[in-house]
Amino acid sequence: MIGIFDSGSGGLTVLKAIRDVMPSADILYFGDIRNAPYGEKSREELSRLTVNSIRVLQARGATSIVSACNSVSASLAISLFDSLGLAQQNLIEMVGPTVSYFKDFKKPILLAATPATVSSELYQSAFRMLGITIDAVAIPKLAGAIEFGVSATDQERLIAAAFAPYDLEKYGALILACTHYPLAGASFRKVLGEVPFFDPAEAVAERVKRQLWPREVGDGTLRLLVSRDTPQFRAQAAKMLPDASYLIEVVD
């Protein structure tokens, strides 16, 4: 069974993408809404929350793990594989598949992410090693605003303030490097216009299929776990998974 974790509803974008390419996979999702948003937390806090999320999934039968949160990628140290009994090929995060997708890209890239993801420098370092020009834009409080249903007008205000210093015409792509951000795609489009957007969920889903199929073929069952129940999460799940059968369980 594939276990997916995120700080809340953002990872549903990754869940949907994985189900689109591997509909027969059994999937267990954990949204840690009680501790959301992750993107404003320290690396030490992220490490603790990452270990807890993986253990929640493993305790319920997950054998492969997908970290659907860009902010925790810096916490996925090699030491975790041994301490959590995970084979390295059984853990997939967001940064590697996304950078690989753009490895032959020739134009400058703009990356929108949480403060934790930007400060980790993971994306910037990887792209620069490939000789690709990248600028990273942190958007404080946006992930939390999306998670807890803050109005589209306020979301647009946060986006506009973050991108005000940038000339969007010089970039060939804008990577939405927080899984919550595609949920606010209309707000990004209203503020930023027709700059080409990229949702890393696509690259991650393709990596999951390549790395975990056919080992993770099952009956297509789906379970959703949350550390706190909210109407916003239920609404996003219903919107993202309109034809899926699932139960939402609150866990400690």
Side-chain angles (χ1 to χ4, degrees):
M1 178 165 38
I2 299 173
I4 305 172
F5 72 93
D6 182 49
S7 62
S9 58
L12 294 172
T13 59
V14 178
L15 169 58
K16 180 181 184 302
I18 293 173
R19 282 178 59 85
D20 285 347
V21 300
M22 288 181 64
S24 61
D26 294 331
I27 297 178
L28 177 66
Y29 181 91
F30 176 50
D32 189 15
I33 300 171
R34 183 174 56 200
N35 293 300
Y38 279 8
E40 314 286 332
K41 299 187 184 302
S42 68
R43 183 171 296 192
E44 290 74 20
E45 289 177 292
L46 289 172
S47 296
R48 177 179 58 80
L49 294 170
T50 297
V51 170
N52 179 70
S53 294
I54 293 174
R55 284 176 170 161
V56 166
L57 294 169
Q58 288 180 318
R60 290 159 178 81
T63 51
S64 299
I65 302 293
V66 177
S67 167
C69 179
N70 290 271
S71 295
V72 307
S73 291
S75 304
L76 298 174
I78 297 298
S79 58
L80 278 181
F81 299 124
D82 283 338
S83 61
L84 295 173
L86 271 173
Q88 188 166 349
Q89 66 269 22
N90 286 359
L91 193 151
I92 297 171
E93 49 82 50
M94 302 292 293
V95 178
T98 304
V99 173
S100 179
Y101 183 92
F102 282 92
K103 65 182 183 298
D104 297 318
F105 204 69
K106 304 302 181 186
K107 297 180 179 179
I109 289 173
L110 193 60
L111 181 128
T114 65
T117 298
V118 172
S119 65
S120 76
E121 291 277 336
L122 286 177
Y123 275 107
Q124 299 96 305
S125 297
F127 277 116
R128 287 167 186 158
M129 287 175 67
L130 294 173
I132 298 172
T133 299
I134 180 170
D135 289 320
V137 181
I139 314 180
K141 303 187 184 302
L142 180 59
I146 296 168
E147 181 65 45
F148 296 112
V150 173
S151 72
T153 299
D154 287 336
Q155 293 177 25
E156 291 159 15
R157 188 176 299 117
L158 293 171
I159 295 167
F163 283 92
Y166 296 89
D167 176 10
L168 299 180
E169 293 184 359
K170 66 179 280 190
Y171 300 98
L174 171 62
I175 299 175
L176 299 179
C178 169
T179 52
H180 282 80
Y181 291 0
L183 300 177
S187 294
F188 274 93
R189 184 66 67 197
K190 184 174 180 180
V191 174
L192 304 180
E194 295 305 314
V195 59
F197 293 144
F198 180 75
D199 180 356
E202 301 174 31
V204 172
E206 289 300 325
R207 176 68 61 85
V208 168
K209 182 178 181 180
R210 185 166 73 247
Q211 203 160 309
L212 301 182
W213 188 90
R215 176 161 46 88
E216 291 291 356
V217 169
D219 299 321
T221 59
L222 174 63
R223 293 168 59 199
L224 305 181
L225 311 175
V226 292
S227 59
R228 173 184 164 194
D229 199 356
T230 66
Q232 290 87 359
F233 181 86
R234 289 183 175 271
Q236 287 291 2
K239 181 178 179 180
M240 300 292 290
L241 306 163
D243 301 319
S245 175
Y246 58 84
L247 295 175
I248 297 177
E249 177 188 348
V250 181
V251 300
D252 293 331

